[in-house]
Amino acid sequence: MQKLNSKVTDSVDFFQGINPYELVEKYGSPLYVYNERILRERCREIKNLVSYPEFSVNYSAKANSNLAFLEIVNEEGLNVDAMSPGEISVELKAGFKPEQIFYISNNVSEEEMKFAIDHNILMSVDSLSQLEQYGKLNPGGKIAARFNGGIGAGHHEKVVTAGKKTKFAINPEYIPEFKEIIKKYNLTLVGINQHIGSLFMEGESYVNGVKAILEIAKRFDNLEFIDLGGGFGIPYEKSEEQPRLNIKELGEKLDKVFDDFVKEYGKRITFKVEPGRYISAECGLILGTVNAVKYNGSNKFAGTDIGFNVIARPVMYDSYHDIEVYRKSNIKSEKNEPVTVVGNICESGDIIAKDRVLPDVKEGDLIGILDAGAYGHSMSSNYNNRLRPAEIFIRENGEVVLTRERDTFDDIFKKYISLR
Ligand code: LLP
């Protein structure tokens, strides 16, 4: 087996000496592969982001909610956020206690609110109408609320979640009405939260967002916590030496902002952050097989089994992922050349990378789509009645374990009810 361009995975010893072909032969192609050591490293890095003591990291499980993945995050001593009863359920299964889970809701049903209340899980509401509904269901209870500090950020307009154009959070101009509803139902507002958007590479936009929510926080007495949201970016273009987010500098800035705030607020409170991608993206990659190579005019296409049902990010947000090529035979790659890497879904838009310069890809090569641990499997689907891939972990000791089976046809068909 040859690795034709594996600078990125080699630099972090991703495969720990394991041959990628052996993995797909055993677990099928395409396949999600996670590295436990890298996941643990990222958890620890974020846990130590600041020196302010009352600090908590809620891993944002929407990025990757695989049970074993959450078990490792739990072992690392992080807390979690949840976006749905489904995420709450898998988090409880992974061993998180109700008090470690923060349910950040958006437009949820009464039934979903009851689910959180019955499980003693604190939730945040993000509109006056949902606050009113919550008050009726749980008068005298504890609640948090998501506010819009007006400053959004993100890698694509679809993932900017603050500012004027978003469906999320409560605009601070409604704080007087908000306080009335709190009083009417005798609720205790224990915390406020925000999330400005996903993937910033400069700490400054995050810190500006933090300052904005802290201004809002000053309008409420006796808060126990302020949750500042996630969005911490990772460098997807590592092959092009894209620099990392400067976590140390960001941590120092946050420490200063926290200290200044508590002096003015007159009470030490807990600050929380909610990173999803930063923790989960870089410990995961997808292995897939090149089933066909063809030319259309001067365009070379590498046709793989990694359709947008397997990874939606490139199609949904034009996202870039580094790509590596592995080859079973000894046939050398003669040159690097542009190739459009596509999947097997019946849509022209099913493109993972357009005109990417790669070694001369051949039938039977394996492709690695890097940094796919976040919003990869969690956004996969059965479109075209395709099977979602298995997920495996390379453990710290080099052992390989299956942590989610590949779908079977039965998984898809068992829900159908025949007319005959
Ligand atoms: N907190 C809240 C309330 C969120 O909505 C999100 C992400 C996070 C935390 C975590 O954000 P992160 O640290 O992962 O950036 N599917 C898109 C990203 C969508 C993010 C949705 N909300 C992507 O693949 O880029």
Side-chain angles (χ1 to χ4, degrees), residues 25-149:
E25 274 155 24
K26 182 149 183 204
Y27 300 103
S29 173
L31 176 68
Y32 272 85
V33 185
Y34 305 117
N35 182 298
E36 177 180 3
R37 174 181 39 83
I38 299 172
L39 170 56
R40 288 186 187 275
E41 277 167 18
R42 289 294 175 272
C43 291
R44 289 171 199 168
E45 213 179 310
I46 288 284
K47 251 184 101 175
N48 296 319
L49 176 68
V50 293
S51 41
Y52 182 89
E54 292 87 3
F55 176 67
S56 146
V57 179
N58 285 1
Y59 165 62
S60 192
K62 61 183 74 64
N64 191 319
S65 51
N66 177 285
L67 176 65
F69 202 100
L70 290 170
E71 285 169 342
I72 294 171
V73 172
N74 186 18
E75 277 176 22
E76 287 298 325
L78 271 58
N79 298 323
V80 273
D81 81 4
M83 207 64 204
S84 67
E87 284 186 358
I88 293 173
S89 303
V90 68
E91 289 165 356
L92 291 170
K93 244 188 209 312
F96 289 96
K97 304 265 177 325
E99 59 274 19
Q100 290 182 278
I101 301 174
F102 185 30
Y103 179 26
I104 298 176
S105 76
N106 175 240
N107 305 331
V108 298
S109 66
E110 227 179 79
E111 221 180 322
E112 289 171 287
M113 287 189 186
K114 278 197 197 126
F115 184 94
I117 296 163
D118 291 347
H119 287 84
N120 282 320
I121 286 165
L122 179 68
M123 69 180 275
S124 113
V125 290
D126 82 343
S127 62
L128 299 187
S129 70
Q130 296 246 285
L131 181 65
E132 183 93 37
Q133 290 160 24
Y134 184 88
K136 282 184 194 150
L137 284 178
N138 196 24
K142 289 184 176 178
I143 189 69
R146 178 168 175 175
F147 282 94
N148 185 343

Side-chain angles (χ1 to χ4, degrees), residues 11 15 80 231 320 344 398:
S11 70
F15 288 106
V80 273
Y320 177 103
N344 52 4

Side-chain angles (χ1 to χ4, degrees), residues 206-218:
Y206 192 72
V207 174
N208 288 339
V210 170
K211 287 180 180 159
I213 191 77
L214 295 187
E215 282 310 307
I216 295 173
K218 288 176 194 162

Side-chain angles (χ1 to χ4, degrees), residues 296-307:
N296 187 357
S298 58
N299 297 317
K300 179 177 177 181
F301 289 88
T304 74
D305 54 8
I306 310 171

Side-chain angles (χ1 to χ4, degrees), residues 58-63 81 83 104 146 155-156 158-159 161 168 193-200 227 229-233 236 273-280 312-313 316-317 319 321 374-376 379:
N58 285 1
Y59 165 62
S60 192
K62 61 183 74 64
D81 81 4
M83 207 64 204
I104 298 176
R146 178 168 175 175
H155 68 86
H156 189 280
K158 287 182 184 151
V159 301
T161 49
F168 291 106
N193 56 297
Q194 77 167 0
H195 174 69
I196 64 170
S198 199
L199 207 163
F200 61 84
D227 182 334
F232 303 75
Y236 280 99
V273 293
E274 270 164 27
R277 184 190 322 270
Y278 194 87
I279 288 171
S280 58
R313 302 193 71 255
M316 195 148 173
Y317 318 109
S319 300
H321 285 262
Y375 307 108
M379 290 176 70

